[in-house]
């Protein structure tokens, strides 16, 4: 009976479940991408250390940014995404009149950005300080050093944690049904309410989530292995006439 009900649900409501899967993946992938960009900005600026040449104005703005970033990270890491979704959606609904899909992507992006900021910051701190010193000795500015030397290595160092955030977002997108977005959890709840086969419906939903996260894990593992194989390309090529004749910058194992 259990298997028969599962087959019946898939037959009758398979298209609705697929719509839910598509929406869940769209929100999770888009939110993770935007969250990574936000995390790179916040985490990168938080990790920047001002040297003795920095003026009073630069130190003031750096301090102000750190305070705002700390508040942002503390709030969005310390409160549930469901609460954030309800608050942000209804707080801005009468201001910008947005739809639930846009609101869901914004919420998951901001939430992910808070976690990504800490991931990127720890990845930057894991890069050997000698890399920065070597870059500056070659005449690179702080911005050039961060963009071309530090951040590429930091992203590689933090890639497992970044990939884990994607998997978490695929699962956590289910809480966004609270603002009536038609993702997988919303569709499953609607199907269960129509058929009264709650056990079978939520079992199928769980299996679909497991399938999505498993596929994501395999893809992320393949990407990580390729990144590790290409890590040697991070070394700066040195001229044969260079007196040091040795790579100044290399990825820390």
């Amino acid at each position: 009976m259990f298997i028969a009900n599962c087959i019946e649900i898939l037959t009758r409501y398979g298209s609705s479940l697929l719509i839910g899967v598509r929406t869940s993946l769209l929100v999770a992938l888009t939110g993770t991408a935007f969250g990574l960009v936000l995390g790179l900005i916040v985490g990168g600026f938080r990790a920047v250390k001002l040297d003795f040449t920095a003026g009073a104005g630069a130190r003031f703005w750096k301090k102000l940014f750190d305070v705002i970033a700390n508040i942002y990270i503390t709030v969005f890491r310390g409160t549930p995404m469901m609460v954030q979704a309800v608050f942000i959606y209804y707080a801005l609904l009468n201001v910008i009149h947005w739809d639930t899909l846009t609101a869901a992507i914004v919420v998951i992006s901001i939430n992910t950005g808070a976690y990504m900021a800490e991931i990127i910051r720890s990845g930057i701190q894991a890069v050997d300080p000698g890399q920065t010193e070597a870059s500056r000795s070659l005449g690179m500015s702080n911005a050039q050093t961060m963009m071309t030397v530090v951040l590429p290595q930091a992203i590689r160092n933090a890639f497992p944690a970044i990939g884990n955030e994607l998997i978490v977002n695929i699962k956590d997108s289910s809480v966004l049904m609270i603002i009536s977005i038609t993702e997988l959890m919303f569709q499953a709840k609607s199907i269960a309410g129509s058929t009264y086969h709650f056990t079978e419906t939520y079992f199928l939903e769980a299996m679909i989530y497991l399938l999505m996260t498993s596929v994501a894990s395999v893809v992320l593992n393949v990407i990580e292995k390729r990144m590790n194989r290409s890590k040697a390309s991070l070394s700066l090529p040195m001229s044969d006439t260079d007196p040091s004749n040795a790579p100044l910058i290399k990825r820390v194992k």
Side-chain angles (χ1 to χ4, degrees):
M1 182 65 71
F2 178 83
I3 296 177
N5 288 337
C6 289
I7 294 174
E8 180 184 358
I9 291 171
L10 286 175
T11 302
R12 293 180 57 187
Y13 300 98
S15 58
S16 297
L17 291 173
L18 286 176
I19 292 174
V21 169
R22 182 185 64 187
T23 305
S24 294
L25 290 177
L26 173 63
V27 170
L29 291 171
T30 307
T32 303
F34 287 150
L36 176 58
V37 174
L38 182 59
L40 284 170
I41 296 172
V42 177
F45 276 107
R46 289 189 74 207
V48 169
K49 305 283 187 189
L50 296 181
D51 54 28
F52 65 93
T53 61
R59 295 183 183 279
F60 169 79
W61 289 112
K62 178 65 168 62
K63 183 66 176 179
L64 180 62
F65 177 87
D66 288 342
V67 170
I68 296 175
N70 284 331
I71 294 174
Y72 159 63
I73 292 171
T74 300
V75 170
F76 281 91
R77 291 180 66 193
T79 56
M81 187 188 295
M82 181 180 292
V83 177
Q84 297 168 15
V86 174
F87 174 78
I88 294 175
Y89 174 64
Y90 288 106
L92 298 179
L93 181 60
N94 294 327
V95 178
I96 58 178
H97 306 288
W98 55 0
D99 58 87
T100 55
L101 179 60
T102 303
I105 293 175
V106 169
V107 169
I108 204 168
S109 298
I110 298 175
N111 179 274
T112 302
Y115 289 91
M116 289 291 190
E118 288 297 282
I119 291 172
I120 296 299
R121 185 175 66 87
S122 62
I124 292 174
Q125 291 177 343
V127 177
D128 187 354
Q131 307 275 317
T132 302
E133 296 173 3
S135 302
R136 296 304 302 275
S137 69
L138 293 176
M140 293 184 180
S141 64
N142 284 331
Q144 289 175 324
T145 300
M146 180 62 70
M147 294 300 298
T148 62
V149 177
V150 178
L151 274 183
Q153 298 182 68
I155 292 175
R156 283 168 172 78
N157 291 337
F159 186 79
I162 294 173
N164 185 65
E165 278 300 307
L166 172 60
I167 294 174
V168 170
N169 283 341
I170 292 175
K171 297 182 296 181
D172 284 357
S173 62
S174 60
V175 305
L176 296 174
M177 65 163 287
I178 194 68
I179 58 174
S180 300
I181 180 176
T182 56
E183 43 73 56
L184 182 57
M185 182 66 186
F186 182 91
Q187 298 286 26
K189 184 179 180 181
S190 300
I191 294 170
S194 300
T195 63
Y196 295 100
H197 295 312
F198 294 95
T199 303
E200 294 87 344
T201 301
Y202 290 122
F203 171 78
L204 289 173
E205 180 195 13
M207 292 301 100
I208 293 173
Y209 274 116
L210 180 61
L211 177 62
M212 289 192 294
T213 55
S214 298
V215 171
S217 297
V218 171
V219 173
L220 290 169
N221 287 334
V222 172
I223 295 175
E224 184 178 359
K225 289 179 180 178
R226 290 187 176 181
M227 291 175 67
N228 290 335
R229 284 201 299 264
S230 63
K231 64 183 179 180
S233 63
L234 289 176
S235 297
L236 288 182
M238 305 298 294
S239 171
D240 293 338
T241 60
D242 193 312
S244 62
N245 202 30
L248 290 179
I249 301 176
K250 60 182 179 180
R251 184 177 185 273
V252 179
K253 295 183 179 179

